[in-house]
Amino acid sequence: MSNTPKVFIVGESGTTGLRLHDRLSERKDIELLHLPEEKRKDIETIKKYAQEADLMFLCLPDAASKEIVEAVKGIDIKILDTSTAHRTADDWVYGFPELSKEQKEAISKADKVAVPGCHASGVIAILYPLVHAGILPINYPLHCISLTGYSGGGKKMIGEYDKGGNTGLLAPRQYGLSQNHKHLPEIMKVCHLCEKPLFSPIVDDFYEGMQVTIGFHTHFLQLPCGLPGEIEADDFQMILKKHYEGAKLIKVSPLSLDETNGLFLSANENAGKDSMTINVAGNDDRVLVISSFDNLGKGASGAAIQCMNIMLGFPEETGLVL
């Protein structure tokens, strides 16, 4: 690898690609290459750039990402795919370094990293530490609610909201009603679940920001190793704080349950940032855990840059807004 790593984006005109372009253009520690506009879909041109570069971002539909990955086989280049195509593939590393020290190490050594989905990031950030700690059974009947800004819907949806005139867009809209949302497989695999969660994504009339909420009835949970006592809300706080201790992008809110009683928690409180905040609320019988982040930040381009930093040997928070 050269002293200044060369990086390029395939799919630069999409929502995630544009955000990546804007963010990486400001970096002085990498050289951002640009595919000619008229050749942005030309496989041979992409292969030529791949032979010159150190790392390539794919911001494309699943089928196009798979086609390019196949085309560049044998070329020594690192790939970061932001699509759904490879998130559950065994020969790709899942790009969520906060899972464990081992996961971050795997990303640092990987040639192929799949960037997590936005909804999935908020769900996994809550569930994985609880499963890992042994208090959340993998067959627990979960219901995950995820509220997102409309930028997550891509150019077409952004255009519909920006155009205005449709009163149906002024209220929250639930979707994914068939319970077959494309982020469920990665949630299942990463969190080792054996029971599919109910998943309710909702899009609303604000540009960016995301809030994932998962509720737990504590009397259905389990203490690991048969330890005495009952699980309380403070146990959630303790487990999450311990898991994310030292994390650069994920922080557990220090608010007590009493302080959350009067709290209004906005879904866009972390808009414009690459960080995520986790709040524990509710009471000892019914606990709510809430992750708040930017669907275009930690939910997309911010997570992709974080992984790029790790893969190229930079501090993971380089160029990010925390």
Side-chain angles (χ1 to χ4, degrees), residues 101-138:
K101 291 180 180 178
E102 293 76 16
Q103 190 72 18
K104 184 175 177 180
E105 181 71 13
I107 293 170
S108 73
K109 296 177 179 178
D111 290 327
K112 297 185 294 185
V113 173
V115 180
C118 54
H119 295 290
S121 294
V123 173
I124 289 167
I126 294 170
L127 294 183
Y128 183 87
L130 302 177
V131 172
H132 184 70
I135 72 163
L136 182 64
I138 58 175

Side-chain angles (χ1 to χ4, degrees), residues 36-235:
E37 176 61 26
E38 68 278 8
K39 297 284 188 179
R40 61 188 176 87
K41 294 184 180 180
D42 182 68
I43 295 295
E44 291 305 314
T45 300
I46 293 169
K47 287 173 65 176
K48 180 181 176 182
Y49 272 68
Q51 289 169 339
E52 180 183 350
D54 300 293
L55 184 143
M56 166 176 65
F57 290 94
L58 300 179
C59 303
L60 300 165
D62 288 9
S65 286
K66 290 178 179 178
E67 181 184 11
I68 290 173
V69 169
E70 182 65 28
V72 300
K73 273 187 176 179
I75 297 176
D76 183 19
I77 187 169
K78 297 178 183 293
I79 305 173
L80 268 165
D81 185 9
T82 68
S83 80
T84 314
H86 301 102
R87 290 176 187 161
T88 59
D90 290 335
D91 58 339
W92 284 68
V93 175
Y94 194 69
F96 202 99
E98 293 88 0
L99 292 181
S100 63
K101 291 180 180 178
E102 293 76 16
Q103 190 72 18
K104 184 175 177 180
E105 181 71 13
I107 293 170
S108 73
K109 296 177 179 178
D111 290 327
K112 297 185 294 185
V113 173
V115 180
C118 54
H119 295 290
S121 294
V123 173
I124 289 167
I126 294 170
L127 294 183
Y128 183 87
L130 302 177
V131 172
H132 184 70
I135 72 163
L136 182 64
I138 58 175
N139 64 345
Y140 185 91
L142 293 159
H143 187 184
C144 311
I145 301 171
S146 186
L147 176 61
T148 182
Y150 61 79
S151 58
K155 280 188 170 182
K156 182 179 179 181
M157 183 176 287
I158 291 171
E160 291 172 347
Y161 275 91
D162 288 349
K163 182 180 178 181
N166 183 350
T167 56
L169 302 181
L170 300 179
R173 295 186 298 157
Q174 189 169 173
Y175 63 103
L177 299 174
S178 67
Q179 289 303 306
N180 289 312
H181 194 278
K182 65 182 182 178
H183 291 179
L184 280 172
E186 63 189 281
I187 292 170
M188 294 283 293
K189 180 176 181 180
V190 173
C191 295
H192 309 293
L193 303 179
C194 66
E195 191 75 38
K196 285 185 178 180
L198 287 166
F199 181 54
S200 301
I202 302 166
V203 62
D204 201 0
D205 185 21
F206 60 100
Y207 185 73
E208 61 187 299
M210 181 168 276
Q211 188 177 89
V212 172
T213 303
I214 306 177
F216 305 90
H217 288 272
T218 57
H219 61 276
F220 287 118
L221 303 182
Q222 59 191 22
L223 281 169
C225 306
L227 295 175
E230 296 181 354
I231 294 173
E232 300 176 344
D234 285 345
D235 294 314

